[in-house]
């Protein structure tokens, strides 16, 4: 399977600040672990702090990949444009969050993008991404 891990704003700072919420590992390190866990998969990784770049990436991979594991970060709670991009492509997209957003501030409880995604995984730390890939694998098998 060919899967894109797509990270939104500020996730480039993982491992440097707010370690009690997001852990102490940076994503580049974790991405190397993911590739070892899924040696037969083609895993790609893209992070952007810019909404339009996230949308462009979803469009760009729509014909070439099998799915996206998306942590839209704060755009989860604000972006109609990313929701529309998810709905516009015929590609399964799993919404993931490192933290359990439902245990946090009320503004994080609502996701604009969830209804356009296949499902949501939240609160398992960086393991949320592995679980997202597993979910895409199961979907692919049941096709
Ligand atoms: O729990 C998640 O994965 C979030 O998507 C992370 C977002 C937050 O806005 C969502 O509500 C939940 C924030 C990512 C910020 O990441 C940082 C990492 C290190 C230091 C500072 C921010």
């Amino acid at each position: 399977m060919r899967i894109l891990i797509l990270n939104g704003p500020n996730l480039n700072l993982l491992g440097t600040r707010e370690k009690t919420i997001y852990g102490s590992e940076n994503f580049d390190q974790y991405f190397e672990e993911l590739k070892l866990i899924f040696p037969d998969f083609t895993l790609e990784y893209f992070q952007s702090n810019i909404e339009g770049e996230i949308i462009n990436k979803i469009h760009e991979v729509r014909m070439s990949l099998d799915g996206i594991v998306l942590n839209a970060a704060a755009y989860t709670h604000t972006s109609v444009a990313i929701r529309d991009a998810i709905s516009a492509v015929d590609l399964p997209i799993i919404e993931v969050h490192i933290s359990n957003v439902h245990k946090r501030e009320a503004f994080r409880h609502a996701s604009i993008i969830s209804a356009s995604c296949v499902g949501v995984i939240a609160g398992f730390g960086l393991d949320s991404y592995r679980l997202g890939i597993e979910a895409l694998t199961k979907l692919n098998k049941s096709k």
Side-chain angles (χ1 to χ4, degrees):
M1 281 188 78
R2 299 153 300 172
I3 292 170
L4 172 69
I5 311 284
L6 182 52
N7 271 346
N10 298 307
L11 287 166
N12 54 311
L13 297 180
L14 274 181
T16 63
R17 311 267 320 252
E18 302 205 58
K19 294 182 188 176
T20 52
I21 303 173
Y22 301 117
S24 53
E25 193 169 9
N26 74 50
F27 202 84
D28 289 337
Q29 289 167 336
Y30 179 67
F31 188 59
E32 292 307 310
E33 290 170 34
L34 271 183
K35 287 193 279 191
L36 294 175
I37 297 169
F38 298 99
D40 300 330
F41 288 16
T42 301
L43 298 183
E44 296 181 15
Y45 170 54
F46 183 75
Q47 187 276 331
S48 178
N49 296 320
I50 300 166
E51 188 175 24
E53 288 188 356
I54 293 168
I55 294 163
N56 284 345
K57 196 69 185 178
I58 293 170
H59 293 177
E60 184 190 313
V61 304
R62 72 186 191 280
M63 306 298 274
S64 56
L65 299 184
D66 299 308
I68 300 177
V69 174
L70 170 65
N71 186 346
Y75 287 141
T76 302
H77 317 297
T78 65
S79 180
V80 175
I82 292 177
R83 177 197 172 114
D84 287 348
I86 296 166
S87 298
V89 299
D90 192 16
L91 197 61
I93 300 183
I94 310 287
E95 175 184 347
V96 301
H97 299 286
I98 299 165
S99 64
N100 181 347
V101 283
H102 301 287
K103 280 186 175 173
R104 302 182 63 194
E105 303 96 322
F107 69 86
R108 296 186 202 276
H109 299 177
S111 167
I112 287 185
I113 67 171
S114 293
S116 301
C117 293
V118 176
V120 184
I121 295 166
F124 297 95
L126 288 175
D127 203 36
S128 293
Y129 293 89
R130 183 190 61 80
L131 293 166
I133 295 171
E134 294 284 1
L136 284 174
T137 308
K138 298 258 162 66
L139 281 177
N140 202 48
K141 278 187 185 145
S142 64
K143 265 204 282 197

